[in-house]
Amino acid sequence: MGNHIHLLIFSGPPGISKFMRRLLTGYAVWYNRKYQRAGHLFQNRYKSIVCEEEPYLLELVRSIHLNPLRAGFVNEMEELDAYPWSGHGVLVGRDRNDWQETDYVLSRFSGTRNKAARAYRGFVEEGIALGRRDDWVGGGFVRSLA
C-alpha cells in the first residue's frame, strides 16, 4: 500500500505492543540513519485487530492479500501472484521469505503443500467477486486495546 502496510502477526506471551514498538522504532532508527534525518517517521499509532475465530482468520488473510488488487497496484491474479510487496506469492509457492510462516494458513486448505497452495489461491480468487466484506466487520474481528 502506498502509505501503510497490513501484517498478520501471531502474538506470543510478550504481546503485540512490545513487538510493534521494537519493529517500528527499529525501522525508524534505520531509516533516519540511512537518509541522514532525525525525528518521527510514523504519524499515528498502529491499528490492531484481534482475530479470535478460525473462519475470520482465512477471511483476514484473503482480505489482506487482495488489497493490492483492490487498490489498483495489480490488475489480475497473475500479477498478484508476482507482486513483491505481499506475502501472497509465498503462499502460492512462487516466492520465498524465510521469515514468513506459511504452514499454518496452508494447512487449512490441504495436508499437501501443492494442493494447499492451489486451494488457497482459488479461495483468494473467489474473494474478488465478493468485494469488500462488511459482514465480517465485528464478530471475530475485535479492535485491540493494546
Side-chain angles (χ1 to χ4, degrees), residues 116-136:
R118 284 192 304 274
Y120 157 78
R121 189 182 187 278
F123 173 75
V124 171
E125 192 166 18
E126 288 171 4
I128 296 170
L130 297 174
R132 180 179 152 84
R133 297 289 307 271
D134 291 328
D135 58 321
W136 286 92

Side-chain angles (χ1 to χ4, degrees), residues 70-97:
R70 291 179 176 150
F73 291 106
V74 298
N75 296 312
E76 56 189 29
M77 280 300 292
E78 289 73 23
E79 290 179 45
L80 183 62
D81 293 345
Y83 188 64
W85 303 109
S86 170
H88 171 77
V90 177
L91 286 166
V92 296
R94 186 182 188 286
D95 296 321
R96 183 170 177 212
N97 287 328

Side-chain angles (χ1 to χ4, degrees), residues 6-10 51 54-68 70 80 86-88 91 100-102 104-106 108-109 120 123-124 141:
H6 295 160
L7 299 172
L8 175 58
I9 300 171
F10 293 92
C51 179
E54 192 69 25
Y56 296 101
L57 169 70
L58 294 180
E59 190 61 34
L60 182 58
V61 169
R62 175 163 56 188
S63 176
I64 289 171
H65 290 147
L66 281 175
N67 270 322
R70 291 179 176 150
L80 183 62
S86 170
H88 171 77
L91 286 166
Q100 183 177 341
E101 166 60 46
T102 58
Y104 190 81
V105 169
L106 291 177
R108 275 46 190 176
F109 295 94
Y120 157 78
F123 173 75
V124 171
F141 293 142

Side-chain angles (χ1 to χ4, degrees), residues 103 105-120:
D103 293 341
V105 169
L106 291 177
S107 70
R108 275 46 190 176
F109 295 94
S110 175
T112 308
R113 186 165 189 82
N114 287 341
K115 285 182 184 177
R118 284 192 304 274
Y120 157 78

